[in-house]
Amino acid sequence: KSVPQNGFVGHPKGLFTLFFTEFWERFSYYGMRAILIFFMYYELHEGGLGLDRGLANSIMAIYGSLVYMSGIIGGWIADRILGTRRTIFYGGVFIMFGHFLLALPGGASILFVSMFFIVIGTGLLKPNVSSIVGDMYADTDSRRDAGFSIFYMSINMGSFLAPLIVGTIGQQYNFHLGFGVAGIGMLVGLIIFKLTGKKYLGLAGLQVNNPLLPEERKKVFTRFGILALLIIIAGAIGIKTGVLTVNVFGLIITALGIVIPTLYFIYMYRSEKTTKDEKSRVLAYIPLFLSAVMFWAIQEQGATILATYADSRTRLDIGSFHIPSSWFQSLNPLFVVTMAPLFAMLWMKWGDKQPSTPRKFAYALFFAGLSFLVMMLPAYLSGGTDLVSPLWLVLSFFLVVVGELLLSPVGLSVTTKLAPKAFAAQTMSLWFLTSAAAQAINAQLVKVYEVVSEFTYFGFLGSLAIVFGIIILVLSPIISKAMRGIN
Ligand code: LEU
């Protein structure tokens, strides 16, 4: 399974393939999102769809939630039918197709079809490309953690570049051209994956780990078929009768975002394959999961609420060049890329003395909370309507990234360690569910932004995160103990 080489910065050459596949996939995803919000609520004469801004933010959140929720399907398909390699490839094709569809001039219906493709495609690609990273190393290989850090860099380098390119083209020239460029990014990623993967990935991801038995196949396919048919019929009736509006759909996704992880936890806890120690770990994971949901709820609003804030409440010109508001989306990944090495050094230096995982999560919530609390100041000083300095946003993004670096890298690894062995194949999707649940809740929250003052909105959510952080900090010894030897 392992490919013992070091042809890429001291790591297996396969990491090169995965690095650039994920780089370009994230380029397309975050490039699209950087302009999607504006595309939806800008007026028709500005090239937009003229949707209500609250609704546009809500659609962003629903879409973001589904993109990570679908990881469950992608993880399952790879594990039981196609293997990770082929699943990733098909995922990339779906994503590319979704973006190219949006490159065509069209209205809201094309947008929703395109989102459907990207949701399915990302579900197939994202959890699986991350899990092949682990396959590059033997279990005993000490480079494994560093490999994941390099991979995390690729995510953020792609996310950094995308708003600058897709954002500029989309906002200064034409939204559809921007979406097209996002599609080209995914095409480049696919080409790299296909061409270099053959050579560099060896056999990794080609096998199906837990293949469906022939007798299971029929049962599973029939059930899925019936379920899909029911959803399509219900959807068609809902749309025809006008019952299924975007708002109603959003409510369904919010409910799913909460129900799916709940069922997951109950299932893991009650499974007879879960040992006694593992049960304790499942319980310990619940507060960590909830903290991550709170954290992502704030972090993801950087792409919705703060994006609209950048567009309407600040203005930045350098000479005669007007900085497109989408460029603010590069701040988060920029801070991640520049500060991640500092954090890595810090943890190395502190060794055993570094804070426990629950404590890191609590601190992450403090920083997330602060990132919103600081936004109360410009709200207060400007009276909520005058233009404010874009530096407030820079500060807010900086603070949330400090939190992200405390939570995100540890979060993935702690999920792998705390989930029962029998569920190992699904841990990647379980971690992505934290962001899915967060954005499912955001689908409702972001609408509140339109009806309360900025001061109240940022103040309330910022304080909520801090209170949550305090609770986790107080509970941290109990959580650590329940983790039974994992730290
Ligand atoms: N920024 C991260 C990514 O795109 C978020 C994820 C961990 C939910 O990969």
Side-chain angles (χ1 to χ4, degrees), residues 333-356:
L334 175 68
F335 286 134
V336 171
V337 171
T338 47
M339 291 198 298
L342 291 177
F343 273 80
M345 263 160 51
L346 194 68
W347 301 146
M348 201 106 101
K349 204 170 137 218
W350 284 0
D352 287 346
K353 287 198 214 66
Q354 59 180 284
S356 65

Side-chain angles (χ1 to χ4, degrees), residues 167-369:
T168 311
I169 295 173
Q171 275 187 298
Q172 313 275 54
Y173 298 98
N174 177 292
F175 283 121
H176 298 287
L177 202 58
F179 294 129
V181 173
I184 291 173
M186 191 63 253
L187 175 65
V188 174
L190 269 174
I191 293 174
I192 294 177
F193 183 70
K194 249 320 197 220
L195 288 188
T196 69
K198 238 196 190 84
K199 276 199 305 220
Y200 295 164
L201 291 176
L203 297 176
L206 288 181
Q207 74 287 13
V208 183
N209 286 330
N210 179 15
L212 272 184
L213 303 172
E215 62 268 26
E216 282 177 310
R217 256 173 198 260
K218 218 176 137 194
K219 203 173 81 188
V220 169
F221 287 149
T222 326
R223 281 193 189 165
F224 267 126
I226 293 176
L227 188 69
L229 206 65
L230 285 179
I231 294 177
I232 292 172
I233 293 174
I237 295 177
I239 293 172
K240 256 262 137 346
T241 54
V243 177
L244 188 65
T245 58
V246 176
N247 279 319
V248 171
F249 185 69
L251 282 170
I252 297 174
I253 300 306
T254 305
L256 280 180
I258 298 167
V259 169
I260 292 176
T262 309
L263 291 179
Y264 226 104
F265 278 108
I266 296 177
Y267 188 59
M268 283 196 295
Y269 187 80
R270 298 187 46 178
S271 162
E272 47 197 53
K273 291 181 194 149
T274 306
T275 66
K276 210 165 149 245
D277 273 348
E278 286 179 332
K279 286 196 175 170
S280 171
R281 292 191 187 120
V282 170
L283 294 182
Y285 188 61
I286 295 173
L288 298 180
F289 186 94
L290 294 175
S291 314
V293 173
M294 177 79 236
F295 177 82
W296 293 120
I298 288 193
Q299 194 266 9
E300 275 293 344
Q301 288 190 42
T304 55
I305 297 296
L306 294 187
T308 60
Y309 190 97
D311 197 53
S312 59
R313 304 276 283 111
T314 70
R315 190 181 164 87
L316 188 57
D317 295 294
I318 295 181
S320 60
F321 183 68
H322 170 64
I323 301 279
S325 43
S326 47
W327 282 25
F328 282 85
Q329 294 307 310
S330 289
L331 285 171
N332 174 306
L334 175 68
F335 286 134
V336 171
V337 171
T338 47
M339 291 198 298
L342 291 177
F343 273 80
M345 263 160 51
L346 194 68
W347 301 146
M348 201 106 101
K349 204 170 137 218
W350 284 0
D352 287 346
K353 287 198 214 66
Q354 59 180 284
S356 65
T357 300
R359 279 176 173 270
K360 283 184 186 163
F361 273 54
Y363 300 146
L365 285 175
F366 292 158
F367 280 101

Side-chain angles (χ1 to χ4, degrees), residues 30-201:
Y30 284 115
M32 180 220 192
R33 275 179 75 86
I35 54 173
L36 176 61
I37 177 70
F38 305 127
F39 172 63
M40 286 193 287
Y41 79 81
Y42 275 15
E43 296 301 331
L44 296 174
H45 68 86
E46 298 169 304
L49 296 178
L51 297 180
D52 166 70
R53 194 175 71 170
L55 184 66
N57 270 324
S58 186
I59 296 175
M60 283 285 284
I62 298 169
Y63 170 54
S65 174
L66 285 172
V67 153
Y68 292 128
M69 225 183 256
S70 62
I72 306 176
I73 306 174
W76 187 87
I77 290 183
D79 196 39
R80 312 230 45 193
I81 307 180
L82 290 176
T84 28
R85 277 272 272 285
R86 280 202 286 165
T87 313
I88 292 172
F89 182 76
Y90 292 129
V93 173
F94 269 78
I95 294 172
M96 183 182 71
F97 190 70
H99 288 304
F100 282 150
L101 210 55
L102 262 188
L104 309 171
S109 342
I110 290 202
L111 173 63
F112 293 144
V113 177
S114 148
M115 280 177 172
F116 172 79
F117 278 104
I118 299 171
V119 162
I120 300 292
T122 315
L124 296 175
L125 187 146
K126 179 117 164 101
N128 292 313
V129 74
S130 324
S131 80
I132 295 201
V133 175
D135 293 345
M136 291 292 100
Y137 304 88
D139 284 343
T140 48
D141 197 326
S142 59
R143 295 172 302 173
R144 198 193 186 88
D145 280 358
F148 271 104
S149 304
I150 295 173
F151 183 71
Y152 200 61
M153 283 288 170
S154 75
I155 291 179
N156 286 288
M157 284 160 75
S159 325
F160 166 73
L161 194 64
L164 304 181
I165 297 179
V166 177
T168 311
I169 295 173
Q171 275 187 298
Q172 313 275 54
Y173 298 98
N174 177 292
F175 283 121
H176 298 287
L177 202 58
F179 294 129
V181 173
I184 291 173
M186 191 63 253
L187 175 65
V188 174
L190 269 174
I191 293 174
I192 294 177
F193 183 70
K194 249 320 197 220
L195 288 188
T196 69
K198 238 196 190 84
K199 276 199 305 220
Y200 295 164
L201 291 176

